[in-house]
């Protein structure tokens, strides 16, 4: 499915440092299958898969460009949100298992923060609970650059989806 929807390329113009988990490639590959697309057939997809063989992280700039191209091809400017919603704890491998074994969401967030570099080594996650204990505030810095909307939306939606799976709240 292709249409003429334009996905802004401005995000790729801003420099960003860091890496992101190759687990996101598995999420993308699973997402593409029902659309009749193969990750290896996409521009840059095969090279990124090859480079990621045996690696646990990949350059965020390559991931950002791949997301932009896939969003363009599918005509889905909200691709990051869609990908994040399709993420499963199983995509995170051993870390997903560790998160699933946490007794509370707070314990899982502590593990995520401790092992964040395995998922996202761009800008550090800072989280806190409000005074009432009802809300969790998540913040990321910008010291290593801004990854862009597609990358940010994918990461945040993945975190939300994973926390839903841990807590059992799927609404």
């Amino acid at each position: 499915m292709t249409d003429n929807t334009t996905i802004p390329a401005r995000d790729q113009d801003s420099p960003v440092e860091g890496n992101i988990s190759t687990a996101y490639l598995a999420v993308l590959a699973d997402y593409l299958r029902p659309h009749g697309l193969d990750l290896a057939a996409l521009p840059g997809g095969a090279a990124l898969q090859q480079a990621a063989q045996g690696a646990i992280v990949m350059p965020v700039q390559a991931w950002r460009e791949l997301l932009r191209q896939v969003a363009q091809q599918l005509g889905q400017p909200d691709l990051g949100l869609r990908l994040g919603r399709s993420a499963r704890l199983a995509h995170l491998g051993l870390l997903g298992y560790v998160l699933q074994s946490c007794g509370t969401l707070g314990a899982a967030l502590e593990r995520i923060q401790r092992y964040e570099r395995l998922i996202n080594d761009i800008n550090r996650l800072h989280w806190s609970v409000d005074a009432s204990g009802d809300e969790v505030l998540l913040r990321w810095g910008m010291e290593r650059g801004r990854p862009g909307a597609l990358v940010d939306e994918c990461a945040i939606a993945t975190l939300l989806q994973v926390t839903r799976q841990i807590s059992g709240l799927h609404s």
Side-chain angles (χ1 to χ4, degrees), residues 123-136:
N123 295 311
R124 299 284 301 165
L125 166 65
H126 303 280
W127 68 277
S128 59
V129 178
D130 74 347
S132 69
D134 293 335
E135 295 182 17
V136 175

Side-chain angles (χ1 to χ4, degrees), residues 5-170:
T5 305
T6 301
I7 309 301
R10 70 178 175 276
D11 289 338
Q12 73 187 38
D13 295 336
S14 60
V16 62
E17 298 174 24
N19 297 299
I20 195 158
S21 173
T22 56
Y24 283 106
L25 285 176
V27 175
L28 180 58
D30 289 349
Y31 180 81
L32 292 174
R33 234 173 258 115
H35 295 282
L37 295 173
D38 180 15
L39 182 58
L42 296 171
L48 193 52
Q49 274 186 316
Q50 183 70 24
Q53 285 288 42
I56 58 171
V57 294
M58 61 187 162
V60 69
Q61 290 186 327
W63 173 242
R64 177 171 61 183
E65 176 57 21
L66 182 61
L67 285 181
R68 189 189 68 73
Q69 290 178 16
V70 172
Q72 184 77 39
Q73 185 166 351
L74 293 175
Q76 296 177 349
D78 62 343
L79 177 67
L81 297 173
R82 292 174 187 242
L83 279 178
R85 185 159 173 84
S86 70
R88 301 286 172 259
L89 282 167
H91 285 120
L92 299 178
L94 184 57
L95 181 58
Y97 178 76
V98 168
L99 296 176
Q100 192 172 17
S101 67
C102 291
T104 65
L105 183 55
L109 286 171
E110 287 175 5
R111 294 295 184 284
I112 288 171
Q113 192 169 31
R114 181 175 179 157
Y115 298 108
E116 180 179 16
R117 291 181 49 217
L118 298 174
I119 302 169
N120 177 342
D121 186 23
I122 306 166
N123 295 311
R124 299 284 301 165
L125 166 65
H126 303 280
W127 68 277
S128 59
V129 178
D130 74 347
S132 69
D134 293 335
E135 295 182 17
V136 175
L137 174 65
L138 305 173
R139 293 184 326 257
W140 285 268
M142 295 188 317
E143 57 277 357
R144 298 189 78 195
R146 298 180 70 174
L150 287 170
V151 173
D152 287 345
E153 290 168 0
C154 182
I156 292 168
T158 297
L159 179 60
L160 179 60
Q161 186 66 13
V162 165
T163 58
R164 284 178 172 158
Q165 291 170 39
I166 292 167
S167 68
L169 300 174
H170 298 284

